Amino acid sequence: MIKALFFDVDGTLVSFKTHQIPQSTIDALTEAKRKGVGVYISTGRPMRLINNLGAISHLIDGYITATGAYCTIGGREVSRITIPDDEARAFVRMSDEMNFATLVVGVGDLTVINPNPDVDRLYRQMLNVNYLGEGVNMEDVLREGVIQFTPIIDIETERRLMPMMKHCVSSRWYPDFADITAHGADKGTALMTMAGRLGLDASETMAFGDGGNDKTIIAAAGVGIAMGNATDEVKAVADYVTTSVDDDGIRNALKHFNII
């Protein structure tokens, strides 16, 4: 029996076209919650950038954020995994030296190094994000502990940089940028941590996603669901492929598995 549902945000809960959660998804999650199933978020966004879940915020029991680096249940911290300080500072230097924009995510706040037009295009236009840590001091973010870097770089640059980040891993859910976290900070590992805290077996969980950083959680969950708009690599590891976010994909999957 499925007791907990884990949902990616962008492209899974929230449409890239409308920046909204489809009404069918809201209704489906409301029904699942009414039946006693837990509702959890699993996103690459840090908490400070989650601005698009207002319609279901009252239904959410916990969050996997920053690609698994920071997790909470009921507002209480479950886990945090920070990038080693020397590697974090080295990456900031590389971003400056190579002049690429990077979102630097700390435990409590964030900021952007070397902002450029791509930052506006990707965050403000595509993701409908307004706050990007303008005026936040980089040293303050570094001191509190970096949980994620999101550099706007191509795959070839990512491949050149990652060998210098020996205690980190990278993943992509959009072609234009990568999410870099410490080893052990991924959505699949976070699901296992959350399930353990909840007293659940992985077989009692279901996870939904559409991008590269969702592969680990889809593989780890008892039932892994790929959205119809998911990448082929995500569909390849899923137990079931539903319709797209804009075509009632979450409702259709929950009905298919008799969750609602």
Side-chain angles (χ1 to χ4, degrees), residues 54 84 100 113 128 137 236 242:
F100 57 81
I113 307 172
N128 202 33
N137 184 277
T242 187

Side-chain angles (χ1 to χ4, degrees), residues 20 22 33 35 37 94 101 113 115 147 151 156 172 187 202 216 255 259:
Q20 302 292 321
K33 192 68 181 287
K35 291 188 173 184
V37 181
M94 286 188 284
I113 307 172
I147 57 175
E156 182 56 38
R172 285 179 182 257
K187 292 186 180 185
T216 57
K255 281 184 172 292
I259 306 298

Side-chain angles (χ1 to χ4, degrees), residues 98-151:
M98 298 175 67
N99 196 35
F100 57 81
T102 299
L103 180 69
V104 184
V105 181
V107 173
D109 213 336
L110 52 84
T111 192
V112 175
I113 307 172
N114 306 317
N116 60 26
D118 283 335
V119 172
D120 184 72
R121 174 176 63 87
L122 293 169
Y123 285 100
R124 293 190 171 90
Q125 297 178 34
M126 186 184 80
L127 298 179
N128 202 33
V129 165
N130 292 316
Y131 177 76
L132 288 173
E134 295 85 351
V136 174
N137 184 277
M138 172 62 65
E139 185 60 33
D140 291 341
V141 176
L142 288 168
R143 276 198 297 265
E144 68 187 18
V146 175
I147 57 175
Q148 181 169 275
F149 288 112
T150 303

Side-chain angles (χ1 to χ4, degrees), residues 5-249:
L5 305 170
F6 290 81
F7 298 96
D8 172 53
V9 174
D10 300 289
T12 300
L13 282 176
V14 177
S15 166
F16 281 117
K17 297 177 182 178
T18 67
H19 300 303
Q20 302 292 321
I21 303 174
Q23 187 60 48
S24 66
T25 297
I26 298 170
D27 294 342
L29 268 58
T30 300
E31 178 65 10
K33 192 68 181 287
R34 188 186 69 80
K35 291 188 173 184
V37 181
V39 174
Y40 297 86
I41 300 304
S42 171
T43 180
R45 293 192 186 214
M47 285 299 300
R48 289 298 302 263
L49 298 191
I50 299 176
N51 63 347
N52 50 3
L53 300 180
I56 61 167
S57 60
H58 60 293
L59 303 174
I60 298 170
D61 296 295
Y63 292 83
I64 294 171
T65 69
T67 320
Y70 192 79
C71 305
T72 62
I73 295 175
R76 295 185 177 182
E77 182 179 307
V78 171
S79 67
R80 71 167 75 180
I81 304 175
T82 57
I83 294 171
D85 183 67
D86 59 339
E87 290 186 25
R89 291 177 182 276
F91 196 84
V92 168
R93 289 195 298 271
M94 286 188 284
S95 182
D96 282 336
E97 291 167 3
M98 298 175 67
N99 196 35
F100 57 81
T102 299
L103 180 69
V104 184
V105 181
V107 173
D109 213 336
L110 52 84
T111 192
V112 175
I113 307 172
N114 306 317
N116 60 26
D118 283 335
V119 172
D120 184 72
R121 174 176 63 87
L122 293 169
Y123 285 100
R124 293 190 171 90
Q125 297 178 34
M126 186 184 80
L127 298 179
N128 202 33
V129 165
N130 292 316
Y131 177 76
L132 288 173
E134 295 85 351
V136 174
N137 184 277
M138 172 62 65
E139 185 60 33
D140 291 341
V141 176
L142 288 168
R143 276 198 297 265
E144 68 187 18
V146 175
I147 57 175
Q148 181 169 275
F149 288 112
T150 303
I152 301 175
I153 52 176
D154 58 26
I155 292 175
E156 182 56 38
T157 303
E158 177 188 353
R159 287 173 178 161
R160 287 192 283 116
L161 292 176
M162 288 311 297
M164 292 176 272
M165 302 292 286
K166 297 186 183 301
H167 297 92
C168 295
V169 294
S170 63
S171 62
R172 285 179 182 257
W173 59 270
Y174 193 76
D176 290 2
F177 53 78
D179 284 332
I180 298 173
T181 55
H183 282 301
D186 63 74
K187 292 186 180 185
T189 301
L191 178 139
M192 300 303 294
T193 299
M194 297 280 276
R197 183 63 62 91
L198 294 166
L200 301 178
D201 187 80
S203 64
E204 298 174 296
T205 67
M206 177 181 285
F208 291 73
D210 71 302
N213 66 355
D214 296 312
K215 289 191 298 180
T216 57
I217 195 168
I218 286 174
V223 180
I225 310 293
M227 304 301 291
N229 49 281
T231 61
D232 289 342
E233 61 181 2
V234 174
K235 292 177 180 178
V237 300
D239 298 300
Y240 181 76
V241 178
T242 187
T243 52
S244 74
V245 59
D246 294 296
D247 294 317
D248 306 324

